């Protein structure tokens, strides 16, 4: 059977989402996919467009993983636009002259910004806010000017205002209606939003009709208003709504709505049986959806049908929750009480700047809509009540009143939700899906994200999903307890803060002030690691012994037979012949098993406790340092040979690896940390499987974070591109210190990031944009730890009190019995049966 | 039961941690907590190695315990009974401190 040919016109968010879903569908092998992209770059995230001005690059905003189309055989025509469709012959023609026959055509042409017909709207500095090219023009205009005005106080307009503010302009918002976000908010909510935004330094002018734009006196332009006032500005940014891109559909005779938009039915079919339309260009039941979630739902409906499944798009809820210029805003259902008998409840908190309103049916039984400004935490709860048509409590206002005494607030716990309740609208994950995932073994939010994708889109549902998850775990008898252990009713992060604030430096003080009992191996190790991270408290101090696992106390990893490994640091995997010879001599003398491990180091196994100090003295004398392979700390930085020897290498990955290793060596952390540096995109060092990975590019370093190998391999995420070496260290300093301060015990960077609300983008905000104002503190703390670094083993062998601890027995001076057999010319621990059979021998008996 | 043997002084012990001693050919783990000494056999019956003295100590549900360093099973310091695996225990030996000297009977 020949493949079915699918052509998609438009490579925006929805067009790309359609392709992703089609590629992931079971029948993908039966399709051949072609897509036109009129922009010079593949699909990118328009929702977060304003982040382009706060540090994100066009590459960061891209929604297409590099190589995704190529790997899946999707043919994309870049910079080319479909200009004609022959509906009879089923052929699409492009501007560049490409002609493709299709079996099914998908129109995903999107929308364009509406520019009101005002005289002067084409003057210099009059711009729109839709594409990355638009942003570049805004940037160029901002470089020359000082004042910017956004025309339109809706959702996009306020986003655009944030962009102008980020560019350092004096910013104004001009809205024709009497309030901001007139569609989503009521007067009360809008008034508070206006106040909050004005506090951020943006002037808001409502009920203003612009009549004309003329040349300004001080600025490029002057806006004239119907009320006789005027406003001087360099930039006029139109954000007065969107209009569907339906010109091509109109030209070829597809049916449009009376006011535009390609008319579609519940199957997303247009008036032609082989042409679908999805996203903002489509008119469904008289409605153009300007949000991505409905567009994604349409894409899913079409993909299902192409896979011969029945599916339909039956409209979408337009409730939204978002952060506008840092202000939480949410709108649910019909917030205006269009039904004249509808009743409403309002809660307004002046000092804390919170406004909440719910609209209910005349009998007070059902929720019709809600507005939340300043605190949108109730969004998930209220949305579910409305979508699932749940009965309201006797006093509906309890839903928005603050619950200060903690009594009976949980009117709608997760149990009240039906299994069909959609919790994550970005990825269409229902409560039932979460329950199934828990049934299948998911126990943490990170598991849930990996299994269901819930919470990985906008992140708005994370709180609700977490509640459902915890509730399900509790029902299954899994204790959901974030306490570190029975001795401390705190998380590791909380203990970290307690120790820091109260400057606690010993376990007994911490236990007597904040815990109970004697402690256990869990809290002791966690606290030991906190002390090390906070004060670089030396592992060898007598009072630290009880806080550490044997690996930390004896500075080696205990092996199954009670012997230890010896792993000196070999920064960047670079080692001189002289040092290699020393390692060989030591291994020979103490009969140690020798192996090269996965971290580009040489590992000596089978060392007896009482030999460790002598072995390490010899190593230190030869210029080695401890490799900290026994610690929850930086392990190794793996590297390729890099540009010094490799004919493909773009940069010196070995030097970079050595510098990284030397900066972060000995750094104690909640779990081990691994790093990798590759000198080019061939990625020989597997940097994308590390907590911190660097890959050299033509323009600097690409920084990848939070990957790992191990039990649950996870690719690292691209964190920032084209960095200088200095930037690399600045970002890694901040990121690692933030990890050390906030991660849970034994939580690797990947899980830590996945459990942060906002995930990668939140972390980028904290590290790159310094959103918490912590950057300089984090850097200083890292510098302090670096400055106080000492080699554990060097300090140990200089301290006779410490070396005393390596005696096999406190009362007699003889080594403990340790039995081995020989295999491939080296020792290995004897098995129980070999010991019984008498074929195992003491090391000294081996020749 | 054999007589108490003087093994070492309290200076050789480490507070809130363990050390190993060889008493009449038996490897013994000595733990020092709350001014008291507890003696258990040094052999870890799960890990099959002489390592118990290198386990971390503390309490669980009010009972003093040592966590085996290899696989982290918990054993009651006073009785040697394993708290995680039913029917498993480590031999314990009478131990005491007199005039800063540590005595064990194996």
């Amino acid at each position: 059977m020949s493949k079915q040919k699918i052509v998609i016109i438009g490579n925006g968010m929805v067009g790309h989402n359609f392709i992703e879903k089609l590629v992931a569908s079971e029948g993908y092998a039966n399709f051949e996919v072609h897509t036109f992209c009129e922009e010079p770059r593949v699909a990118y995230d328009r929702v977060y467009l304003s982040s382009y001005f706060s540090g994100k690059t066009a590459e960061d905003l891209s929604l297409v993983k590099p190589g995704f189309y190529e790997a899946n055989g999707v043919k994309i025509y870049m910079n080319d636009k479909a200009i004609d469709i022959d509906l009879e012959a089923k052929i699409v023609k492009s501007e560049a002259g490409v002609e493709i026959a299709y079996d099914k055509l998908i129109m995903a042409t999107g929308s364009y910004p509406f520019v009101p017909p005002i005289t002067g709207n084409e003057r210099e500095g009059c711009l729109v806010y839709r594409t990355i090219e638009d942003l570049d023009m805004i940037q160029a205009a901002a470089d020359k000017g000082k004042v910017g005005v956004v025309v339109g106080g809706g959702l996009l307009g306020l986003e655009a205002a944030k962009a102008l503010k980020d560019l350092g302009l004096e910013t104004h918002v001009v809205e024709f209606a009497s309030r901001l976000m007139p569609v989503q908010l009521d007067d009360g909510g809008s008034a508070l939003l206006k106040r909050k935004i004005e506090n951020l330094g943006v002037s808001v002018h409502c009920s203003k009709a612009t009549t004309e734009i003329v040349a300004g006196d001080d600025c490029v332009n002057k806006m004239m208003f119907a009320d006789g006032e005027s406003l001087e500005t360099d930039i006029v940014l139109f954000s007065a709504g969107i209009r569907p891109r339906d010109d091509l559909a109109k030209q070829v005779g597809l049916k449009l709505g009376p006011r535009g938009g390609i008319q579609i039915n519940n199957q997303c079919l247009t008036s032609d049986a082989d042409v679908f339309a999805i996203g903002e260009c489509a008119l469904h039941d008289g409605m153009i959806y300007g949000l991505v979630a409905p567009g994604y739902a349409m894409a899913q409906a079409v993909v299902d049908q192409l896979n011969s499944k029945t599916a339909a798009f039956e409209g979408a809820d337009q409730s939204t929750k978002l952060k506008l210029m840092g202000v939480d805003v949410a709108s649910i259902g019909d917030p205006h009480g269009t039904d004249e008998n509808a009743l409403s409840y309002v809660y307004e908190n002046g000092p804390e700047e919170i406004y909440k309103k719910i609209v209910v049916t005349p009998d007070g039984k059902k929720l019709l809509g809600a507005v939340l400004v300043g605190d949108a935490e109730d969004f998930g709860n209220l949305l579910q009540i409305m979508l699932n048509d749940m009965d309201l409590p006797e006093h509906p206002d309890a839903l928005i009143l603050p619950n200060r005494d903690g009594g009976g607030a949980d009117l709608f716990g997760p149990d009240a939700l039906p299994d069909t309740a959609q919790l994550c609208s970005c990825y269409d994950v229902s409560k039932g899906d979460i329950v199934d995932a828990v049934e299948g073994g998911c126990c943490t939010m990170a598991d849930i994200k990996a299994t269901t994708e819930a919470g990985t889109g906008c992140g708005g549902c994370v709180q609700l999903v977490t509640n459902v998850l915890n509730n399900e775990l509790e029902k299954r008898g899994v204790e959901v307890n974030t306490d570190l252990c029975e001795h401390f009713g705190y998380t590791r992060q909380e203990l970290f803060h307690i120790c820091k604030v109260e400057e606690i430096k010993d376990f007994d003080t911490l236990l007597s002030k904040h815990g109970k009992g004697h402690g256990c191996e869990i809290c002791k190790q966690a606290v030991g690691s906190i002390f090390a991270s906070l004060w670089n408290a030396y592992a060898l101090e007598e009072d630290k012994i009880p806080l550490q696992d044997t690996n930390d106390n004896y500075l080696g990893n205990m092996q199954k037979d009670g012997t230890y490994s010896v792993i000196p640091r070999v920064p960047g995997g670079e080692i001189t012949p002289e040092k290699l010879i020393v390692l060989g001599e030591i291994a020979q003398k103490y009969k140690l098993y020798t192996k090269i491990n996965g971290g580009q180091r040489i590992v000596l196994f089978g060392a007896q406790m009482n030999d460790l100090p002598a072995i390490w003295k010899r190593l230190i004398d030869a210029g080695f340092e401890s490799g900290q392979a026994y610690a929850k700390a930086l392990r190794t930085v793996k590297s390729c040979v890099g540009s010094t020897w490799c004919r493909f290498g773009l940069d010196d990955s070995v030097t970079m690896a050595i510098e990284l290793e030397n900066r972060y060596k000995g750094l104690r952390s909640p779990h081990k940390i691994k790093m990798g540096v590759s000198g080019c995109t061939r990625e020989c060092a597997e940097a994308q499987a590390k907590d911190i990975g660097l890959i050299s590019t033509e323009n600097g370093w690409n920084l990848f974070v939070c990957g790992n190998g191990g039990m649950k391999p996870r690719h690292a995420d691209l964190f920032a591109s084209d960095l200088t070496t200095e930037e690399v260290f600045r970002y890694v300093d901040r990121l690692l210190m933030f990890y050390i301060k906030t991660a849970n015990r034994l939580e690797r960077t990947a899980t830590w990031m996945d459990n942060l609300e906002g995930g990668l983008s939140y972390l980028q905000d904290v590290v790159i944009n310094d959103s918490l104002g912590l950057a300089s503190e984090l850097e200083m703390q890292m510098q302090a730890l670096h400055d106080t670094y000492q080699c554990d083993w060097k300090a140990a062998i200089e301290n006779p009190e410490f070396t005393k601890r390596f005696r096999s027995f406190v009362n007699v001076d003889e080594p403990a019995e340790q039995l081995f057999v020989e295999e491939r010319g080296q020792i290995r621990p004897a098995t129980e049966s070999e010991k019984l059979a008498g074929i195992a021998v003491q090391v000294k008996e081996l020749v | 039961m054999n007589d108490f043997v003087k093994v070492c002084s309290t200076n050789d012990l480490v507070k809130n941690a363990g050390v190993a001693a060889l008493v009449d050919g038996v490897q013994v783990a000595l733990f020092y907590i709350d001014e008291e000494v507890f003696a258990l056999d040094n052999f870890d019956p799960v890990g099959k190695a002489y390592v118990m003295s290198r386990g971390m100590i503390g309490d669980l549900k009010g009972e003093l315990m040592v966590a085996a360093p290899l696989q982290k099973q918990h054993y009651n310091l006073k009785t040697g009974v394993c708290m995680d695996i039913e029917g498993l225990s480590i031999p314990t030996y009478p131990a005491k401190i007199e005039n800063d000297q540590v005595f064990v009977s194996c």
Side-chain angles (χ1 to χ4, degrees):
Chain A
M1 196 183 88
S2 68
K3 290 190 173 187
Q4 205 181 0
K5 223 162 167 181
I6 312 288
V7 176
I8 301 110
I9 301 181
N11 191 244
M13 295 182 77
V14 172
H16 170 67
N17 184 267
F18 171 83
I19 296 176
E20 268 192 339
K21 289 192 155 106
L22 190 63
V23 166
S25 71
E26 56 266 47
Y28 183 62
N30 306 323
F31 300 113
E32 179 184 324
V33 180
H34 297 256
T35 184
F36 288 95
C37 177
E38 65 172 13
E39 288 189 49
R41 56 180 64 79
V42 289
Y44 52 89
D45 197 339
R46 290 192 218 272
V47 176
Y48 292 105
L49 216 47
S50 70
S51 62
Y52 189 68
F53 293 133
S54 45
K56 288 254 174 97
T57 63
E59 213 169 273
D60 296 335
L61 288 170
S62 176
L63 293 171
V64 185
K65 292 195 185 99
F68 174 78
Y69 287 155
E70 295 79 357
N72 291 292
V74 174
K75 174 76 185 142
I76 182 160
Y77 304 89
M78 295 299 300
N79 273 313
D80 196 4
K81 178 176 165 183
I83 52 161
D84 198 13
I85 307 166
D86 185 336
L87 295 173
E88 283 294 310
K90 303 217 287 188
I91 291 172
V92 180
K93 294 171 190 163
S94 84
E95 207 164 45
V98 177
E99 291 198 8
I100 311 171
Y102 63 83
D103 292 304
K104 298 287 176 194
L105 180 66
I106 319 292
M107 307 284 291
T109 47
S111 64
Y112 64 92
F114 170 64
V115 177
I118 300 167
T119 314
N121 65 11
E122 302 209 336
R123 289 182 48 80
E124 184 194 344
C126 291
L127 302 166
V128 294
Y129 181 79
R130 172 81 184 168
T131 65
I132 287 182
E133 282 63 38
D134 292 337
L135 299 190
D136 288 335
M137 290 202 285
I138 294 168
Q139 172 97 60
D143 288 345
K144 289 184 286 181
K146 350 179 252 303
V147 187
V149 174
V150 175
V151 178
L155 229 159
L156 265 177
L158 294 177
E159 265 290 303
K162 174 175 191 305
L164 294 186
K165 191 91 189 37
D166 285 345
L167 287 169
L169 296 178
E170 175 192 323
T171 306
H172 301 261
V173 173
V174 170
E175 168 59 48
F176 177 77
S178 61
R179 59 172 187 263
L180 291 174
M181 298 184 69
V183 182
Q184 293 92 350
L185 298 185
D186 65 338
D187 285 333
S190 275
L192 176 58
L193 179 62
K194 176 168 185 265
R195 202 157 68 230
K196 289 192 144 202
I197 288 179
E198 285 182 329
N199 284 344
L200 297 169
V202 173
S203 311
V204 179
H205 316 266
C206 291
S207 306
K208 282 263 182 235
T210 312
T211 51
E212 201 183 350
I213 302 168
V214 299
D217 302 323
D218 300 326
C219 297
V220 178
N221 294 307
K222 179 151 79 171
M223 300 174 72
M224 311 300 290
F225 300 117
D227 59 7
E229 289 184 20
S230 64
L231 181 60
E232 293 253 344
T233 180
D234 297 298
I235 297 178
V236 181
L237 196 50
F238 290 106
S239 183
I242 54 159
R243 294 292 180 269
R245 296 259 316 256
D246 52 12
D247 43 344
L248 178 59
K250 185 176 178 185
Q251 172 197 323
V252 302
L254 291 174
K255 193 170 174 208
L256 304 187
R259 277 176 298 154
I262 309 171
Q263 199 135 33
I264 59 168
N265 62 14
N266 280 2
Q267 272 60 53
C268 300
L269 268 180
T270 64
S271 54
D272 184 300
D274 293 311
V275 181
F276 295 91
I278 57 177
E280 293 176 334
C281 65
L283 180 75
H284 176 267
D285 203 11
M287 187 78 128
I288 298 272
Y289 290 97
L291 300 171
V292 291
Y296 288 177
M298 293 179 199
Q300 185 67 57
V302 177
V303 166
D304 285 347
Q305 293 175 69
L306 292 176
N307 277 282
S308 312
K309 289 191 256 187
T310 32
F313 173 78
E314 290 169 340
D317 178 66
Q318 299 220 66
S319 301
T320 42
K321 171 187 163 188
L322 65 166
K323 240 188 178 49
L324 285 171
M325 314 187 78
V327 182
D328 283 313
V329 178
S331 163
I332 294 172
D334 170 16
H336 307 301
T338 327
D339 175 347
E340 59 183 53
N341 295 318
L343 306 171
S344 61
Y345 296 86
V346 175
Y347 168 72
E348 190 160 10
N349 180 333
E352 289 177 30
E353 301 197 313
I354 294 169
Y355 177 90
K356 300 178 181 186
K357 172 171 133 178
I358 52 173
V359 180
V360 304
T361 51
D363 60 7
K365 288 240 164 72
K366 305 285 181 186
L367 184 66
L368 294 172
V371 173
L372 306 169
V373 178
D375 173 4
E377 233 179 65
D378 299 325
F379 174 77
N381 214 0
L382 293 172
L383 180 64
Q384 293 300 334
I385 291 173
M386 189 196 69
L387 291 180
N388 297 297
D389 206 25
M390 289 155 71
D391 281 337
L392 292 173
E394 188 189 346
H395 302 291
D397 53 352
L399 292 169
I400 49 170
L401 290 175
N403 168 44
R404 296 220 167 77
D405 50 12
D410 220 354
L411 296 163
F412 286 91
D415 276 334
L417 293 173
D419 275 355
T420 50
Q422 186 195 50
L423 305 185
C424 169
S425 56
C426 297
Y427 288 94
D428 187 22
V429 183
S430 68
K431 180 189 159 194
D433 296 332
I434 303 294
V435 174
D436 289 346
V438 173
E439 201 61 45
C442 289
C443 289
T444 62
M445 193 55 209
D447 293 344
I448 293 284
K449 282 181 176 177
T451 309
T452 67
E453 295 192 280
T456 59
C458 70
C461 65
V462 169
Q463 190 154 12
L464 189 63
V465 174
T466 307
N467 291 344
V468 171
L469 167 69
N470 288 346
N471 184 53
E472 289 303 315
L473 289 174
E474 266 164 33
K475 276 200 277 185
R476 283 163 180 72
V478 179
E479 201 177 327
V480 185
N481 186 343
T482 53
D483 292 358
L484 193 57
C485 65
E486 66 182 59
H487 305 101
F488 289 99
Y490 301 98
T491 61
R492 179 190 184 272
Q493 186 185 344
E494 288 164 339
L495 279 181
F496 190 103
H497 291 146
I498 289 172
C499 292
K500 173 147 193 259
V501 172
E502 300 186 13
E503 292 194 22
I504 296 177
K505 300 181 180 183
D506 69 281
F507 187 74
D508 288 345
T509 308
L510 183 68
L511 192 68
S512 63
K513 284 178 80 170
H514 300 283
K516 57 174 191 241
H518 290 86
C520 65
E521 79 280 6
I522 292 175
C523 57
K524 285 181 169 182
Q525 283 188 74
V527 171
S529 150
I530 289 170
F531 287 157
S533 295
L534 273 178
W535 324 115
N536 240 355
Y538 189 37
L540 308 184
E541 290 160 16
E542 174 103 1
D543 68 325
K544 300 297 176 300
I545 297 172
L547 300 187
Q548 303 179 121
D549 199 13
T550 176
N551 291 353
D552 285 290
N553 278 334
Y554 296 99
L555 304 175
N557 270 340
M558 184 193 266
Q559 304 301 316
K560 64 189 291 181
D561 62 347
T563 64
Y564 289 86
S565 59
V566 172
I567 308 181
R569 189 169 291 289
V570 180
E574 186 180 84
I575 188 164
T576 60
E578 289 73 23
K579 282 186 165 176
L580 261 184
I581 290 168
V582 172
L583 286 178
E585 286 171 353
I586 290 172
Q588 224 167 21
K589 177 169 178 193
Y590 294 96
K591 298 274 182 314
L592 304 176
Y593 169 76
T594 309
K595 187 182 190 314
I596 294 170
N597 74 353
Q600 300 189 330
R601 311 204 268 201
I602 294 164
V603 187
L604 310 175
F605 283 108
Q608 308 221 31
M609 195 163 76
N610 55 311
D611 287 333
L612 285 173
I615 291 172
W616 275 101
K617 170 137 198 350
R618 182 79 203 281
L619 285 169
I620 303 254
D621 289 346
F624 282 104
E625 279 189 331
S626 167
Q628 270 97 20
Y630 40 81
K632 300 284 177 248
L634 173 72
R635 295 288 171 83
T636 60
V637 184
K638 185 174 179 175
S639 60
C640 63
V641 287
S643 58
T644 31
W645 290 90
C646 176
R647 62 203 161 99
F648 298 118
L650 293 173
D651 211 332
D652 183 357
S653 54
V654 178
T655 300
M656 185 49 134
I658 293 172
E659 284 175 4
L660 277 172
E661 196 151 343
N662 284 332
R663 174 137 189 104
Y664 303 111
K665 64 187 175 189
L667 179 70
R668 296 302 201 273
S669 50
H671 210 309
K672 63 188 170 191
I673 299 172
K674 294 183 177 184
M675 303 189 185
V677 185
S678 282
C680 79
T681 184
R682 286 171 186 75
E683 244 284 67
C684 296
E686 295 162 332
Q688 289 170 94
K690 309 291 185 207
D691 298 280
I692 299 290
L694 292 172
I695 300 177
S696 180
T697 71
E698 306 265 347
N699 308 313
W701 298 99
N702 279 355
L703 172 61
F704 292 81
V705 302
C706 302
N708 58 249
M711 205 150 43
K712 264 174 128 182
R714 181 195 193 280
H715 264 138
D717 290 320
L718 179 62
F719 191 76
S721 308
D722 301 333
L723 302 178
T724 62
T725 301
E726 193 206 340
E727 284 171 327
V728 166
F729 281 97
R730 200 186 314 143
Y731 289 171
V732 176
D733 270 9
R734 294 175 186 178
L735 187 136
L736 287 182
M737 207 63 222
F738 191 55
Y739 165 62
I740 288 171
K741 294 174 79 155
T742 60
N744 281 313
R745 157 185 179 272
L746 294 185
E747 191 171 52
R748 281 201 68 174
T749 53
T751 325
W752 165 68
M753 182 173 77
D754 286 345
N755 280 333
L756 289 176
E757 202 171 325
L760 175 68
S761 53
Y762 173 70
L763 199 54
Q764 286 168 325
D765 236 23
V766 172
V767 169
I768 300 173
N769 307 327
D770 193 15
S771 60
L772 300 181
L774 286 175
S776 59
E777 188 191 336
L778 294 173
E779 284 173 37
M780 265 162 49
Q781 286 167 335
M782 184 61 82
Q783 188 61 42
L785 287 180
H786 176 77
D787 292 343
T788 51
Y789 165 82
Q790 51 180 338
C791 168
D792 304 336
W793 268 109
K794 184 163 189 296
I797 56 173
E798 285 167 357
N799 178 344
E801 269 307 301
F802 180 75
T803 50
K804 203 179 91 182
R805 210 193 294 162
F806 287 80
R807 289 177 298 174
S808 296
F809 302 109
V810 286
N811 57 340
V812 285
D813 189 16
E814 60 179 78
E817 185 183 87
Q818 206 74 51
L819 296 173
F820 299 95
V821 293
E822 243 182 340
E823 191 171 85
R824 294 187 291 274
Q826 301 205 64
I827 58 154
R828 71 158 168 79
T831 64
E832 287 311 293
S833 56
E834 283 163 344
K835 285 181 199 163
L836 288 173
I839 51 175
V841 293
Q842 296 264 36
V843 127
K844 57 179 178 263
E845 297 166 44
L846 288 167
V847 182
Chain B
M1 192 174 79
N2 294 321
D3 293 340
F4 275 103
V5 178
K6 189 172 110 184
V7 176
C8 59
S9 91
T10 49
N11 287 334
D12 294 310
L13 302 178
V14 183
K15 220 171 170 183
N16 296 319
V19 297
L22 195 61
V23 184
D24 291 340
V26 177
Q27 283 202 32
V28 177
L30 300 175
F31 300 99
Y32 191 31
I33 182 166
D34 290 347
E35 308 292 319
E36 248 191 293
V37 65
F38 297 93
L40 268 69
D41 202 279
N42 198 29
F43 191 73
D44 173 349
V46 177
K48 310 272 185 224
Y50 291 92
V51 294
M52 289 309 300
S53 60
R54 291 173 257 166
M56 295 175 73
I57 62 175
D59 64 352
L60 274 188
K61 301 191 177 71
E63 299 286 335
L64 290 180
M65 62 82 193
V66 54
L70 287 166
Q71 319 271 342
K72 308 289 185 275
Q73 294 86 7
H74 304 95
Y75 297 89
N76 188 311
L77 270 191
K78 291 178 178 160
T79 64
V81 172
C82 181
M83 299 167 155
D84 310 290
I85 303 171
E86 220 179 292
L88 188 67
S89 66
I90 295 180
T92 56
Y93 306 105
K96 62 181 180 185
I97 298 174
E98 273 174 17
N99 300 326
D100 292 334
Q101 297 301 311
V102 181
F103 296 84
V104 179
S105 151
C106 284

